[in-house]
Amino acid sequence: MSDAEPANEQGALGAVPEYPTGALPQAARELVEYGSSVGLPGSLVAGAALAAMAAAVGPNAELEVTRSWHQRAIVWVVAMAPRGAGKTPSQDLAFGPLRAHDAQVDEGRILIGDTTLEALSRTLAASGGAGAIDQDELTVLLRAVNEYKGGGGDVGRLLALWAGAPVNVDRVGAGGSKANQVGLRIPRPTLVICGGLQTQRDELLGDEESGLRPRWLPHIATMPEDGG
């Protein structure tokens, strides 16, 4: 742990309960077991696995929550743990097959690298509305959203993406230039997000009032007892 990190970063989490691995699909359980065998926190591997599976499903199927409630596979997973606790290797393990897939194709890529809302909207519009943000660190995306929370525009668009609701982006270019106008329509967005966040930055997940914070599915881990 560096001097720049708060001394109570680990202690602030309190006791983290054992992850309910038995509730996972078999493929995810096996991935968690393998991750645990090489020293990765089961909760972080499990969270990344859920996001990776949702990204692979994309808009091609719906999950039957109940007989009357069907939902597209839209999952926003945030791995919350101190630096060095295994966030990055856990996500690397789960997202490895999707990254390999994207490296071999020119069209039909699943993963998105853009982290600004406008760039993300452009990418989703070009890909039929589906994609997954696979980021080692979510700080850049979350800070960009929070910078504009006063106006509510970016937060509102992000909430619409979580709900899978139609998204419209209309912006006039600098100086009123028509050449740089943005007019995007995403009628059926299916966006998965997965990334890490250090525990002391949890305020970036938003607040209860805006409705953004409850949309995240946190997966928490602490440093191992012999960790530094």
Side-chain angles (χ1 to χ4, degrees), residues 62-71:
E62 292 188 340
L63 308 176
E64 184 179 290
V65 184
T66 68
R67 289 185 178 181
S68 59
W69 178 14
H70 291 187
Q71 177 69 45

Side-chain angles (χ1 to χ4, degrees), residues 12-30:
L13 283 175
V16 178
E18 184 177 352
Y19 194 85
T21 309
L24 296 172
Q26 181 177 349
R29 290 199 305 271
E30 292 175 353

Side-chain angles (χ1 to χ4, degrees), residues 112-191:
I112 299 172
D114 300 316
T115 55
T116 66
L117 264 293
E118 185 168 312
L120 173 60
S121 298
R122 290 177 184 269
T123 302
L124 286 175
S127 65
I133 294 179
D134 166 31
Q135 289 287 325
D136 177 61
E137 176 61 60
L138 290 177
T139 302
V140 174
L141 170 66
L142 295 174
R143 281 181 173 163
V145 172
N146 283 301
E147 283 178 1
Y148 298 100
K149 65 181 179 181
D154 280 355
V155 170
R157 274 191 290 275
L158 201 58
L159 289 172
L161 288 172
W162 182 87
V167 173
N168 298 324
V169 180
D170 293 291
R171 290 186 181 173
V172 178
S177 170
K178 292 184 177 180
N180 294 320
Q181 286 182 344
V182 176
L184 302 175
R185 304 289 180 269
I186 309 174
R188 199 169 180 266
T190 306
L191 175 67

